[in-house]
Amino acid sequence: MPSKLLIAAAERADAVRDAAGFGVQAGGLTIDGKAVMERVRDERDRFVGLVRETVETFDPAHRVTGHATFADPHTIALEDGTRLQADRIVVATGSRPVWPSAFEHVGDRLVVNDDIFDWMDLPDSVAVFGGGIIGLELGQALARLGVRVRIFGKGGSVANLTDPVVKARAVSAINKTVPFDPDADVSEIVRDDDAVSVTFAADDDRHTHRFDYLLAATGRKPNVDKLAIDRSGLDLDTRGVPTFDPLTMQ
């Protein structure tokens, strides 16, 4: 996963910072943002290429390409008229990022996690919106690579943690690397030339900070809306997504 490649680079940077504690003098730390992102892109593309090559080795009789929709619980219809039947059908269509419409006005300064991995260089600063797993791991990785980062959460959520003691400890630990407010009071987000200005409450005062990008890590939507999932025979929730047990994912 590209995010893990970014985290790996951040861990190397931390290792250099901490080397003196082991009696190793590593000298000054220099982070080459272009080289970091080049490796992320190269390794991502290499991995994807290997997966595609593997798929191409499948027996053509067992491989079908095309847009598929459900015709009924045991039948898949392809756009060319082909119909495939099976006792069991696995839906593995992934998900895509979603964000509040209030972010739209910042234009090309708005990015999602997928966009980061196409960067040619590390930016100077990023405002991360979202206190979930994606926002926290990317925010911390970027901060450890020298990017000025601030993470704005909502509703007190911290990576889906539920225990209040564990959550408080996590917030304290994260704040040692990057400023993180799990229930941020943000009053204004505006496009500011080639940047984004965010006004928020902190330390009993209002502050406005300028960032190169606004990273929306505000959730993902399952890619089931173009599958005619209502014909699958599955029970759907109010979002049109099949219901499942969040503990077993079944």
Side-chain angles (χ1 to χ4, degrees), residues 23-237:
V24 177
Q25 301 301 323
L29 173 64
T30 300
I31 296 172
D32 184 339
K34 291 182 179 179
V36 169
M37 297 314 299
E38 181 178 13
R39 179 179 183 274
V40 169
R41 294 192 309 275
D42 287 349
E43 288 297 294
R44 174 200 61 185
D45 294 346
R46 182 180 68 84
F47 178 76
V48 171
L50 291 173
V51 172
R52 288 177 172 170
E53 289 175 9
T54 299
V55 171
E56 290 300 318
T57 66
F58 293 174
D59 185 336
H62 300 157
R63 185 178 73 241
V64 179
T65 301
H67 177 66
T69 58
F70 278 94
D72 62 51
H74 298 287
T75 306
I76 290 294
L78 302 184
E79 53 196 344
D80 64 359
T82 301
R83 292 198 165 214
L84 305 172
Q85 293 187 318
D87 292 335
R88 297 287 187 270
I89 297 172
V90 177
V91 177
T93 47
S95 61
R96 61 186 183 273
V98 294
W99 55 86
S101 58
F103 292 172
E104 297 284 355
H105 70 281
V106 304
D108 63 359
R109 298 293 97 183
L110 171 65
V111 295
V112 295
N113 60 308
D114 296 336
D115 298 324
I116 287 179
F117 310 120
D118 286 321
W119 281 347
M120 303 304 292
D121 197 353
L122 290 169
D124 290 328
S125 56
V126 176
V128 178
F129 278 77
I133 294 171
I134 293 176
L136 292 177
E137 71 173 6
L138 290 178
Q140 291 181 94
L142 290 170
R144 292 158 70 189
L145 288 169
V147 179
R148 177 172 60 84
V149 174
R150 193 174 192 98
I151 304 176
F152 301 90
K154 183 178 181 181
S157 177
V158 181
N160 298 325
L161 296 175
T162 57
D163 185 283
V165 175
V166 174
K167 185 185 294 187
R169 291 291 183 90
V171 172
S172 176
I174 293 166
N175 269 284
K176 293 178 181 178
T177 304
V178 54
F180 168 46
D181 184 347
D183 192 18
D185 178 5
V186 176
S187 57
E188 189 175 47
I189 301 171
V190 298
R191 176 67 181 256
D192 186 1
D193 294 327
D194 288 332
V196 178
S197 288
V198 181
T199 301
F200 58 94
D203 303 322
D204 299 321
D205 201 358
R206 285 276 161 188
H207 305 264
T208 298
H209 289 186
R210 196 169 184 265
F211 301 91
D212 291 329
Y213 290 100
L214 186 163
L215 169 60
T218 46
R220 299 183 70 87
K221 178 180 180 179
N223 293 326
V224 297
D225 46 320
K226 296 181 180 180
L227 300 180
I229 196 73
D230 55 303
R231 301 175 192 162
S232 66
L234 299 171
D235 293 328
L236 307 179
D237 63 20

Side-chain angles (χ1 to χ4, degrees), residues 5-15 17 140-142 144-145:
L5 294 169
L6 196 67
I7 291 171
E11 289 177 341
R12 298 302 190 279
D14 270 356
R17 292 188 183 98
Q140 291 181 94
L142 290 170
R144 292 158 70 189
L145 288 169

